[in-house]
Amino acid sequence: MWDYILFFTFSPMIEWGIHYLLHKYENKNHRNHHLDVSKIQYRDFNSIKELEILPPFVIVFSYYYKFWFLFLFLTRYWIAHTTIHYTNSEIKYLKELKSHHILHHRYKNCNFAVSGIYPDILFGTYNHTPVIFRKNTVFGYI
């Protein structure tokens, strides 16, 4: 049981660190993801043609070779990131994560965590500017 508690506590911090490094070293693929989002002005993520394809391949690989931490870590990240980008949920926590992530795309030096907000608070990169959602868009703000 403790391993699950530690996993769900520390995996968002590891996710934050990886995401922070992608920005610090200006990873090309990640930069392209940000460019795709800014082209549509954050309105409709269904128009983005590229879904993250690397995580599912690594997820299958890690499952096959029984790398359970990597499997759980990437599955959690990929589900959270895909849900944030491609759904319009009324669930309060998902709306908070979506707002958190929209601000990351607007201001690239904040909100690096995807599946939790507390790592950004802990590491001083939290931006909580209010985001207002429109009902007719999947991923929009005014």
Side-chain angles (χ1 to χ4, degrees):
M1 178 163 146
W2 281 105
D3 48 348
Y4 289 108
I5 293 170
L6 290 173
F7 172 77
F8 285 105
T9 301
F10 288 108
S11 64
M13 288 190 254
I14 295 168
E15 173 187 291
W16 180 95
I18 292 168
H19 199 173
Y20 178 81
L21 291 173
L22 288 172
H23 281 268
K24 182 173 179 157
Y25 295 106
E26 298 183 2
N27 177 272
K28 179 185 167 193
N29 292 331
H30 192 71
R31 186 177 50 228
N32 288 341
H33 169 69
H34 276 267
L35 290 173
D36 287 344
V37 173
S38 66
K39 281 179 195 171
I40 60 165
Q41 299 177 353
Y42 319 96
R43 282 192 300 272
D44 184 6
F45 269 46
N46 288 331
S47 66
I48 294 179
K49 295 179 180 35
E50 282 188 37
L51 184 63
E52 284 185 299
I53 57 170
L54 182 60
F57 287 114
V58 179
I59 288 168
V60 169
F61 172 84
S62 62
Y63 180 80
Y64 181 78
Y65 287 103
K66 298 181 179 158
F67 299 139
W68 300 121
F69 179 82
L70 184 61
F71 171 75
L72 290 172
F73 175 78
L74 281 175
T75 302
R76 179 180 185 206
Y77 160 79
W78 192 68
I79 289 170
H81 193 251
T82 303
T83 301
I84 289 168
H85 275 275
Y86 293 97
T87 64
N88 191 11
S89 176
E90 292 298 319
I91 299 171
K92 184 180 179 198
Y93 183 69
L94 289 178
K95 285 181 94 168
E96 289 173 6
L97 283 179
K98 184 177 279 201
S99 174
H100 184 77
H101 200 63
I102 287 172
L103 290 172
H104 169 71
H105 278 278
R106 286 185 73 192
Y107 313 109
K108 293 167 187 61
N109 61 346
C110 67
N111 297 357
F112 296 104
V114 174
S115 63
I117 295 172
Y118 70 90
D120 286 300
I121 295 168
L122 184 65
F123 298 124
T125 56
Y126 181 59
N127 181 341
H128 60 281
T129 305
V131 174
I132 300 169
F133 293 96
R134 291 186 236 154
K135 289 202 179 242
N136 61 347
T137 62
V138 173
F139 191 86
Y141 71 95
I142 298 174

